[in-house]
Amino acid sequence: RVRAESSIASAICGMIESAHHLVYLEQQFFVSSLGNGQAVSNNVAASLLKRLLRAVEAQERFRAVVVLPLHPEGNPLEERSVQVVMSYQQRTIQALREGVERALPAGKRVDDYLCFLSARSWGILDDKVVSEQAYIHSKVVIVDDRIALLGSANVNDRSLAGERDTEVSLLIRDTADLVPCNMGGATWDAGRSVRDLRVGLWRRLLGDVGADVRDPISEEVYRDKLLWTASHNTEVYERVLDRGMAASTCRTRAEAMRALATQEPVCADEGALDAMRTIVGHLVLHPTDRWPDDDLSLQLHESLVPTELFT
């Protein structure tokens, strides 16, 4: 039997576990194993949890920022394939967050160390305010503004198990052209090209080509720019457009579908536009527990479908 090719998985896990200050993941999928009963073998989430727990124990400033699509491609209200992938992904995220939360001392929060974000856009069509997700299709891992991995591999077993999809990635160690910068206010030598890549990605998400995001773990960048922008934008989208089917309030898919069936389109009047114009860039909070009262996982009567299609 041919040995599984696991170099991409090993590279991602090694990058994460050796990180000093920052892990940034921009990914189409995030399905990984944390020993939580999922039929998944890759250890990316386990490596991330291991590094986060070290940061919590040492009381050091460390940030992990994960940017994902709001939901997999397709209609999450109607398509079972989309719902099953969402189930695997949400279980990964919940297990990771719970693992961090259990270790936190009093006064600390999960988002002091870890956040999950998505991207969304809006516009006007036929005098109505409309919106859709800005679909994240990237497969990027950046650590400490020094090391980057770019390619075709997602964080799931289809890409990382080494026996399924064919993938290729490029690992960049940007140590030949180091530039002095700050990490949490402390001096740090970043790789010029990798830092510029991360800065460009964050500026695009923030909708500000001149945003000062050079110190990615500082309170001013991480909390006052990334988290504030995502939280503000999410609140506006849910208040003006989502309303009864907002991800933060809907407990079931059926509840969301009833709200969608009775919800009138939002006219592009001054009231709506005044609110929508306060949206900054594209960032929103990723819904880490959509429809919590529903079981979206693969059901017994669907068990003839191989789980490998979704993981």
Side-chain angles (χ1 to χ4, degrees):
R1 185 185 180 193
V2 177
R3 181 173 61 88
E5 165 51 60
S6 59
S7 60
I8 298 177
S10 297
I12 295 173
C13 292
M15 290 169 67
I16 291 171
E17 292 185 25
S18 63
H20 294 275
H21 304 287
L22 170 74
V23 171
Y24 177 59
L25 298 170
E26 192 171 300
Q27 293 284 323
Q28 184 181 2
F29 298 105
F30 190 72
V31 177
S32 187
S33 175
L34 276 163
N36 54 338
Q38 297 211 86
V40 183
S41 63
N42 81 79
N43 293 316
V44 171
S47 292
L48 185 54
L49 178 59
K50 181 179 178 180
R51 182 60 188 93
L52 289 165
L53 293 180
R54 278 170 35 209
V56 172
E57 183 178 3
Q59 298 183 9
E60 63 184 359
R61 184 177 293 185
F62 183 89
R63 315 290 197 190
V65 178
V66 184
V67 179
L68 304 167
L70 278 168
H71 56 76
E73 188 174 9
N75 186 338
L77 284 170
E78 298 178 355
E79 297 179 31
R80 280 296 292 142
S81 59
V82 175
Q83 295 162 15
V84 173
V85 175
M86 285 171 56
S87 170
Y88 279 110
Q89 190 155 279
Q90 289 183 176
R91 287 166 65 185
T92 301
I93 292 170
Q94 289 162 12
L96 184 54
R97 288 178 52 86
E98 289 166 3
V100 174
E101 189 171 29
R102 284 193 294 267
L104 290 176
K108 286 291 187 179
R109 308 187 316 187
V110 172
D111 68 10
D112 289 329
Y113 298 93
L114 169 69
C115 69
F116 289 88
L117 307 174
S118 293
R120 191 169 174 178
S121 61
W122 70 277
I124 300 172
L125 181 65
D126 295 332
D127 295 323
K128 301 293 189 294
V129 181
V130 295
S131 174
E132 63 181 1
Q133 69 166 319
Y135 192 71
I136 304 296
H137 204 276
S138 316
K139 300 94 167 62
V140 177
V141 183
I142 294 175
V143 167
D144 294 334
D145 282 358
R146 277 188 187 170
I147 308 172
L149 186 137
L150 315 170
S152 65
N154 295 296
V155 175
N156 59 13
D157 277 3
R158 287 186 59 171
S159 288
L160 301 182
E163 300 175 306
R164 292 159 64 178
D165 290 5
T166 300
E167 310 287 9
V168 63
S169 292
L170 176 67
L171 178 64
I172 303 168
R173 297 185 183 275
D174 190 9
T175 56
D177 186 14
L178 296 175
V179 293
C181 66
N182 289 321
M183 282 282 183
T187 302
W188 177 254
D189 289 332
R192 187 185 303 273
S193 296
V194 171
R195 185 200 62 176
D196 288 351
L197 171 63
R198 197 265 311 157
V199 165
L201 292 172
W202 285 21
R203 284 175 171 172
R204 182 181 61 182
L205 289 168
L206 289 165
D208 183 352
V209 296
D212 185 357
V213 291
R214 290 172 295 179
D215 185 343
I217 70 170
S218 68
E219 289 291 294
E220 293 77 12
V221 173
Y222 175 76
R223 189 164 296 283
D224 297 345
K225 283 190 170 67
L226 291 186
L227 293 187
W228 182 90
T229 299
S231 298
H232 169 75
N233 290 349
T234 300
E235 188 277 328
V236 175
Y237 277 118
E238 292 196 343
R239 172 166 49 88
V240 178
L241 291 183
D242 299 345
R243 293 173 289 171
M245 54 178 295
S248 64
T249 57
C250 262
R251 303 291 303 179
T252 66
R253 184 175 62 90
E255 183 182 345
M257 293 183 74
R258 285 195 299 271
L260 179 63
T262 58
Q263 191 163 291
E264 294 292 330
V266 176
C267 294
D269 56 29
E270 284 307 308
L273 291 179
D274 285 347
M276 297 302 292
R277 286 171 182 149
T278 70
I279 288 174
V280 182
H282 304 286
L283 279 178
V284 291
L285 298 174
H286 181 77
T288 58
D289 190 19
R290 192 192 294 264
W291 308 324
D293 292 346
D294 280 349
D295 182 1
L296 301 179
S297 62
L298 205 63
Q299 302 300 305
L300 182 62
H301 69 277
E302 300 168 321
S303 59
L304 291 178
V305 180
T307 59
E308 288 82 359
L309 289 175
F310 310 105
T311 63

